[in-house]
Amino acid sequence: MKRMIIFCMLFFCSTMVLTETSPRRAKYRQILRKIEELESMVKEKDAELLYTPENFVDGCENTTVTCFKKGILKLQPARSQDTPKFTKAIRIVSRFTAKDKQCNSTPPCESYEKKTPKNFLKGFENLIQ
């Protein structure tokens, strides 16, 4: 009987460990949620257009992420009431990093088309997904 109880406990614990999400995946989900929050809070009218990378080169994500990080710092909240929440979301999203090798084939940020802040955030969301 003791063996059966021990076996059931081990089985239950091992299934719990297997279903737990990895820290990396949880971080990506958090960043995606913050990007969605930013989309609803960002100033769209009279806002500065931002360089938006679109065609991502495999293995060169870090340089693309750097372009998005530069653009994120230029975003502004639509309403002043959203400023604390907006600032926190910007801080979380700007911590995102991508690991890749040395990449020379990625064009500079200024070579990309300028788009509205919401389209910019959609592009960033596509990169993370």
Side-chain angles (χ1 to χ4, degrees):
M1 184 67 175
K2 288 182 184 178
R3 287 184 183 174
M4 185 63 153
I5 292 172
I6 292 172
F7 174 76
C8 289
M9 288 177 61
L10 284 173
F11 180 75
F12 177 74
C13 291
S14 65
T15 57
M16 293 304 291
V17 169
L18 292 175
T19 58
E20 204 173 292
T21 60
S22 69
R24 176 186 249 171
R25 181 172 254 164
K27 182 179 179 180
Y28 285 142
R29 279 194 200 135
Q30 178 191 27
I31 291 172
L32 285 172
R33 275 190 307 241
K34 292 299 176 184
I35 289 174
E36 289 171 4
E37 283 180 25
L38 284 172
E39 285 177 13
S40 66
M41 291 186 287
V42 75
K43 180 180 179 181
E44 189 72 16
K45 208 174 213 179
D46 300 326
E48 178 182 354
L49 297 177
L50 305 167
Y51 295 109
T52 307
E54 289 179 329
N55 302 324
F56 313 119
V57 179
D58 285 338
C60 296
E61 288 85 10
N62 192 29
T63 50
T64 306
V65 168
T66 303
C67 291
F68 279 113
K69 283 175 142 182
K70 287 178 185 177
I72 281 186
L73 297 175
K74 296 178 182 179
L75 294 175
Q76 297 175 349
R79 297 184 314 262
S80 60
Q81 301 97 308
D82 293 338
T83 303
K85 195 174 180 183
F86 186 83
T87 305
K88 183 178 179 183
I90 292 287
R91 189 174 61 242
I92 290 170
V93 172
S94 64
R95 284 189 206 150
F96 177 71
T97 58
K99 296 177 184 174
D100 61 18
K101 305 168 200 113
Q102 191 68 6
C103 189
N104 298 327
S105 63
T106 305
C109 299
E110 292 77 23
S111 65
Y112 294 110
E113 182 182 347
K114 284 187 167 189
K115 293 190 176 184
T116 63
K118 286 191 180 187
N119 289 334
F120 171 81
L121 289 169
K122 291 251 186 243
F124 194 26
E125 190 175 354
N126 289 338
L127 172 69
I128 293 173
Q129 289 175 347

